[in-house]
Amino acid sequence: MALALVAVVVAGLAVFAAPPSVTSALTVYVVGSAEDSNDGMCGGEDCTLREAIDAANGHLNSGGPDQINFAIPGGGVKTINVSSALPFILDAVVIDGLTQGPTACGTPLVEVSGTSGAGDGIFLQSGSGSTVRGLAIGNFSGGSGIRSSAGGLTIECNNIGTDAAGLAAANATGVRLQSGPSNNTVRWNVIAKNNAGSGLGYGVLANPSNGTLISENSIFDNVGGTAYGSQGGTGPGIVSTSLQLPAFVTMSRPAGGVVEVGGAFIREFPATSLGQTAKFEFFASPTCDTSGFGEGKTYLGSYTKTDADDGSLDGVVRFGPNFGDAQALSGWPPGSRITMTATHVQSGSTSGFSRCLDPGLRIDSTFPTSVPVGIGDPTISITGAGLDGADVVALVTNGNLQPLAVLSPTSATTANLTLPSSVLGTPGNFSILLKHADPTLGSSVFFDFFIGPRIDTLGDSSAPVGSENVTVVIAGEGFKNAPLNTTVIRVNGVDSQTTFVDATHVTATLPAVALAAPGTLQLTAFNPRWNAGSNILPFFVTPVASPIDSIDAVTVVEPLVTTVDTTGTGGETEATTGEGTGTVAVANYDGAPGGVTPATFSAANGYFDVYVAPESTFGTTTITYCDPLGGTALYWSPDGGLNWDFIENVTLLAATPPATCLQFTVGSDPSVHPTIFDRGGTAFALTPGPVLEGPAVSPSLVPVGTAVVLSATFSDLDLPDDSHSWTIDWGDETVTEGVALSAVISDSHEYHESGVYRVMLRVTDEAGAYDEEQYEHIVVYDPSAGFVTGGGWITSPVGAYAPDPSLTGQATFGFVSQYKKGANVPTGNTQFQFHAAGLDFKSTSYDWLVVAGAKAQYKGFGTINGSGNYRFMLTAIDGNELGVGKPDTFRIRIWDAESDLPVYDNQLGVDENADPTTALGGGSIVVHKK
């Protein structure tokens, strides 16, 4: 009859309600004495356990096993101290300690206590169908608590390795089931503390050839090494080679076909054929065994799953993806470590314990989920829990290889993980395991990661729009041709017709629907068994046939600054991304990608393409293009080369024809085009736009009301067929413009206020390409406006003194600058001393003086410490002219007249015409009005 089971926890041990005793034996022997004597008689209160075993061995069973019951007088727990080995059991018998009195499974009233010389506690040598129930068996340090070489054995409701109170009473091994017989059941027992004598301290050592069911026990603190049978196994809790499956299971988190178990997952569990059933049992313990695998102190519950024919034809039982009915697993004691066993129901075979799980340490996801084969030591991002533990390390396992991975936590839930290249050499999968350095604290579940194929080159990189079923030869590594795992080329995520050639080559047919419009196609290789994809290479669909001269691409799976470049007859293209992940490619065209030469400019060979895959995380891409024909103006096409827009903010890196290099940056702001993702691949054209030479202004130092003349020349390879216009911003809110009838520009202007002015000249061709140059400075002075005097000190800031930027301290000054009557050059004297640097500057002459309101500025020459030739510019503001309480401010710039190298500037890095901001520490500045 079935045995009902209800589990509770008492004093840390699993205690079970008593199942009814078996009553089918024909002969019953009652143990009435706790003595260990043997007078050959078993009757009444004189019958000892030793005598009862001898009597049962001497009785030939005919209708079922004999039964040994207990009725030792008196209350409480009765202890039978065994001084020598009990008789081996030679015929089927039921030894039922629960008959001693009203009790429950897990609270025995009969203890069988041995010594080092007593061998095994109970040894069932022969006789199939025996049962040992309801005893506390311990202190057999020279053997096992229960040992059997018979089949059909049931061991239930015993304490093995502890006394009736749960205190240690260690055996060398708890339960030992020798090889040969089968169909054994070990259930509802407390098997703990077994580590005595010369034994290895196993809880259960099971070696039968077929079915040993080990279920719903409390197995813990059995100290010993790890042993492996012919089909695998695990350490001190259960060592079992009885399964027709691997003898232990692991919890894992692969991409599909799994069972969720309270946040963990179970790896595929192999079976002999489809339609098999597995029962998973789950346990909690305060700590793990030192082996890193588990024992199970508190039984939590179970889940049974029968395999369905999933079409894989691989004889694998896959469980999942949901585990919603495993309610028993919600609410294990806080801080517990979790383990599990698996039982093959058809054979009744139970595995050893799984790896011991710390539920607070886990990997939930990775980005990316796979990497291409052979890409070095990539860094991936992981999310999970407990990632910042000081003792947490990461392993990757591929077969027996278990190299360390470099774990760099950024928080408790996020980390970067650098994978070792030793596991990335072959497409497939490996597992990532997080574990504590202390094995008793457990590990995470395994997390499956995948290695995909890699594509290196495309035989053709472009095709004209409207092409029909273009076949492309693709070279790379890791291509497969196996059932359920044949490499397929995906075009924008859709499988294409793919033909396997060899491990490094496939061909793919690009369907007409993908070639129906201009754009960029993403080609990836995909191995379906591992759900693993390759890097991306772009394929360009152009309005007409536009052969690509050269192409290169890079895919990165960790946040990096990435550079990709290619050189062709049309020029050299380089793209450098901001930090991020994704794919970037560059290509050079032999001609206009749209097949139509632009009407407003000629790009010659200066056509190129930059592609950034849409899922990339790069924020910016800086593009450099060097044109052997000397182009200086850049355009981009939003429609594959049919129409072109001019790009501003382009930096000319080299301006010496015939070779020029331009650099520009595109970003992800959707309002500023071109963006990093425009068209997926964005076509560019470099044209020889206008190039200014000059400008020059004469005179550049003038009194108010005097005209100045700006003149400049420009060149353009499109001259004389191209027309040009010009604009001049004179810096005083006056702008003039005109049309250049030749390559010469000239215009004049008259300033009506004193000041220092910058002038900007721009020349633009009819296609919108332009060049602009700035002229510095035009100085306009008013001799009648006044003069400036000052004296005092400032605190010289860090960085002001170029030879030693660390110096700071007090600097003193005194100056006067004025125009004498009728003069057009100012006179005066300027002195500046920075004492910490030993700097003593004195002026020798002035160039000009400009006084405008509260501000005065003048420029001239001078010496330092009595020698040298230095330029200086002094700017001062009279605070009283701005209002009551406004400070006087001062700035002086000094630089070498020959080398232009700076010597001193107390407002370093600021425009030389900006207002001074350094307030005086003492003294005053006065702007005098005439």
Side-chain angles (χ1 to χ4, degrees):
M1 59 188 279
L3 300 181
L5 172 65
V6 178
V8 295
V9 176
V10 176
L13 301 179
V15 182
F16 305 95
S21 299
V22 176
T23 59
S24 59
L26 295 182
T27 303
V28 177
Y29 302 94
V30 178
V31 177
S33 172
E35 300 296 324
D36 187 34
S37 59
N38 189 357
D39 60 7
M41 301 293 292
C42 178
E45 293 183 1
D46 292 332
C47 185
T48 65
L49 176 59
R50 186 181 298 275
E51 292 168 340
I53 294 173
D54 272 345
N57 283 337
H59 177 261
L60 180 63
N61 296 335
S62 59
D66 293 333
Q67 182 154 337
I68 298 175
N69 291 345
F70 293 81
I72 302 173
V77 176
K78 304 304 177 183
T79 302
I80 301 172
N81 291 304
V82 177
S83 59
S84 61
L86 290 170
F88 296 171
I89 294 174
L90 305 176
D91 199 3
V93 66
V94 175
I95 303 176
D96 192 354
L98 297 182
T99 58
Q100 172 63 23
T103 187
C105 186
T107 57
L109 294 178
V110 177
E111 295 177 344
V112 180
S113 179
T115 65
S116 61
D120 300 304
I122 295 177
F123 183 11
L124 298 105
Q125 186 179 53
S126 58
S128 177
S130 292
T131 296
V132 179
R133 177 189 301 128
L135 301 176
I137 305 173
N139 296 317
F140 289 90
S141 58
S144 303
I146 298 176
R147 177 182 175 188
S148 175
S149 57
L153 173 64
T154 298
I155 301 173
E156 61 187 17
C157 297
N158 301 285
N159 285 16
I160 305 173
T162 68
D163 62 16
L167 300 177
N171 305 297
T173 293
V175 175
R176 181 180 179 185
L177 306 177
Q178 296 179 199
S179 56
S182 60
N183 302 319
N184 300 300
T185 298
V186 181
R187 61 188 176 185
W188 311 331
N189 302 281
V190 175
I191 305 174
K193 312 293 185 179
N194 292 291
N195 62 343
S198 60
L200 296 177
Y202 298 119
V204 178
L205 176 58
N207 298 113
S209 59
N210 294 293
T212 293
L213 173 66
I214 306 171
S215 178
E216 301 183 26
N217 299 282
S218 176
I219 303 176
F220 61 98
D221 289 352
N222 297 286
V223 179
T226 299
Y228 293 88
S230 60
Q231 298 184 21
T234 177
I238 302 171
V239 176
S240 173
T241 59
S242 68
L243 302 184
Q244 297 175 7
L245 342 157
F248 64 93
V249 291
T250 59
M251 286 178 269
S252 183
R253 190 185 290 266
V258 294
V259 174
E260 184 173 2
V261 183
F265 285 80
I266 301 170
R267 184 185 298 279
E268 298 167 352
F269 189 80
T272 55
S273 63
L274 297 174
Q276 302 297 296
T277 300
K279 179 183 179 182
F280 296 99
E281 294 187 4
F282 302 92
F283 303 85
S285 296
T287 62
C288 303
D289 185 81
T290 55
S291 68
F293 287 81
E295 294 183 285
K297 184 172 185 178
T298 303
Y299 173 67
L300 297 175
S302 66
Y303 178 68
T304 301
K305 179 66 178 180
T306 300
D307 178 31
D309 187 349
D310 60 4
S312 65
L313 304 179
D314 56 3
V316 172
V317 179
R318 289 181 172 83
F319 302 95
N322 298 312
F323 199 76
D325 52 352
Q327 300 301 320
L329 291 181
S330 61
W332 49 69
S336 294
R337 269 50 183 175
I338 308 303
T339 54
M340 59 173 287
T341 61
T343 297
H344 182 224
V345 174
Q346 278 79 358
S347 66
S349 300
T350 301
S351 72
F353 281 104
S354 70
R355 184 177 291 275
C356 188
L357 168 67
D358 174 3
L361 180 63
R362 67 176 190 270
I363 300 176
D364 293 332
S365 63
T366 68
F367 179 82
T369 57
S370 65
V371 296
V373 62
I375 65 167
D377 300 308
T379 296
I380 63 174
S381 300
I382 64 175
T383 61
L387 304 181
D388 61 346
D391 68 333
V392 174
V393 297
L395 293 174
V396 294
T397 174
N398 186 2
N400 292 323
L401 181 66
Q402 288 194 334
L404 283 172
V406 179
L407 180 69
S408 303
T410 53
S411 71
T413 58
T414 59
N416 295 319
L417 187 67
T418 301
L419 302 173
S421 58
S422 56
V423 298
L424 303 176
T426 304
N429 70 296
F430 59 87
S431 295
I432 304 170
L433 179 71
L434 303 179
K435 68 175 188 176
H436 295 280
D438 180 353
T440 65
L441 298 179
S443 64
S444 71
V445 299
F446 285 99
F447 191 95
D448 283 358
F449 193 81
F450 301 95
I451 309 166
R454 188 187 72 247
I455 53 178
D456 297 329
T457 60
L458 307 179
D460 294 300
S461 299
S462 69
V465 66
S467 298
E468 294 285 339
N469 299 327
V470 173
T471 298
V472 179
V473 178
I474 300 171
E477 186 178 344
F479 302 139
K480 294 292 182 180
N481 184 28
L484 303 176
N485 196 33
T486 298
T487 299
V488 62
I489 298 299
R490 290 182 169 177
V491 181
N492 288 350
V494 178
D495 292 356
S496 69
Q497 180 180 334
T498 306
T499 301
F500 177 84
V501 178
D502 56 39
T504 58
H505 294 86
V506 294
T507 63
T509 300
L510 310 186
V513 64
L515 305 170
T520 304
L521 307 179
Q522 296 185 68
L523 271 59
T524 58
F526 186 77
N527 288 344
R529 178 178 177 183
W530 302 303
N531 196 35
S534 72
N535 55 312
I536 300 170
L537 280 187
F539 186 93
F540 299 101
V541 183
T542 56
V544 296
S546 302
I548 290 177
D549 182 38
S550 59
I551 187 171
D552 196 14
V554 171
T555 298
V556 292
V557 297
E558 56 186 298
L560 291 175
V561 173
T562 303
T563 297
V564 59
D565 62 83
T566 186
T567 301
T569 57
E572 180 179 359
T573 307
E574 178 184 277
T576 300
T577 71
E579 188 172 278
T581 61
T583 295
V584 60
V586 294
N588 292 332
Y589 286 97
D590 281 340
V596 179
T597 301
T600 56
F601 66 89
S602 172
N605 285 335
Y607 295 100
F608 60 100
D609 209 317
V610 176
Y611 167 78
V612 178
E615 68 275 13
S616 302
T617 62
F618 310 119
T620 61
T621 298
T622 297
I623 300 165
T624 304
Y625 182 78
C626 294
D627 178 23
L629 298 183
T632 58
L634 189 66
Y635 296 81
W636 77 284
S637 174
D639 51 17
L642 298 180
N643 296 283
W644 297 88
D645 295 331
F646 183 71
I647 301 177
E648 300 192 34
N649 300 321
V650 174
T651 301
L652 188 65
L653 300 181
T656 304
T660 57
C661 295
L662 289 91
Q663 189 174 83
F664 61 102
T665 298
V666 294
S668 55
D669 184 349
S671 65
V672 180
H673 293 280
T675 73
I676 197 171
F677 297 123
D678 271 322
R679 253 194 83 249
T682 302
F684 297 94
L686 188 64
T687 179
V691 178
L692 277 168
E693 299 172 11
V697 174
S698 180
S700 60
L701 176 62
V702 295
V704 171
T706 303
V708 298
V709 176
L710 180 147
S711 60
T713 61
F714 67 90
S715 61
D716 192 332
L717 296 181
D718 286 342
L719 285 172
D721 299 326
D722 205 355
S723 63
H724 299 78
S725 60
W726 55 262
T727 60
I728 302 174
D729 184 342
W730 294 97
D732 62 349
E733 299 184 355
T734 302
V735 177
T736 58
E737 58 185 26
V739 175
L741 301 178
S742 65
V744 178
I745 299 171
S746 181
D747 197 21
S748 63
H749 180 63
E750 185 177 296
Y751 291 92
H752 298 287
E753 293 183 2
S754 60
V756 180
Y757 298 97
R758 287 190 178 96
V759 181
M760 182 67 72
L761 169 65
R762 174 183 286 198
V763 60
T764 306
D765 68 12
E766 62 181 337
Y770 67 84
D771 190 20
E772 59 184 10
E773 294 289 341
Q774 180 173 267
Y775 180 83
E776 299 182 292
H777 297 95
I778 299 176
V779 179
V780 181
Y781 64 92
D782 184 353
S784 64
F787 65 99
V788 62
T789 60
W793 62 273
I794 63 169
T795 298
S796 179
V798 172
Y801 182 57
D804 187 351
S806 66
L807 294 180
T808 184
Q810 190 179 84
T812 58
F813 64 87
F815 63 85
V816 59
S817 181
Q818 63 179 333
Y819 283 99
K820 292 187 176 181
K821 187 175 182 179
N824 59 7
V825 176
T827 60
N829 181 41
T830 299
Q831 296 187 35
F832 177 77
Q833 295 87 30
F834 180 27
H835 307 289
L839 172 68
D840 185 1
F841 175 82
K842 294 181 180 179
S843 66
T844 56
S845 64
Y846 292 168
D847 293 342
W848 47 263
L849 164 67
V850 173
V851 177
K855 181 178 178 180
Q857 187 175 51
Y858 61 95
K859 187 177 183 181
F861 288 86
T863 63
I864 293 179
N865 299 332
S867 64
N869 185 23
Y870 296 90
R871 300 284 277 159
F872 80 98
M873 180 181 289
L874 188 150
T875 310
I877 288 181
D878 182 351
N880 288 334
E881 292 291 319
L882 299 177
V884 178
K886 298 293 184 180
D888 296 343
T889 55
F890 171 88
R891 179 187 184 184
I892 188 169
R893 292 179 58 237
I894 304 170
W895 67 96
D896 190 289
E898 303 298 328
S899 66
D900 282 336
L901 293 175
V903 176
Y904 186 91
D905 185 353
N906 62 296
Q907 213 163 317
L908 187 68
V910 178
D911 187 280
E912 65 180 12
N913 293 315
D915 289 347
T917 58
T918 303
L920 270 57
S924 66
I925 293 171
V926 179
V927 174
H928 302 267
K929 305 296 183 180
K930 287 188 177 181

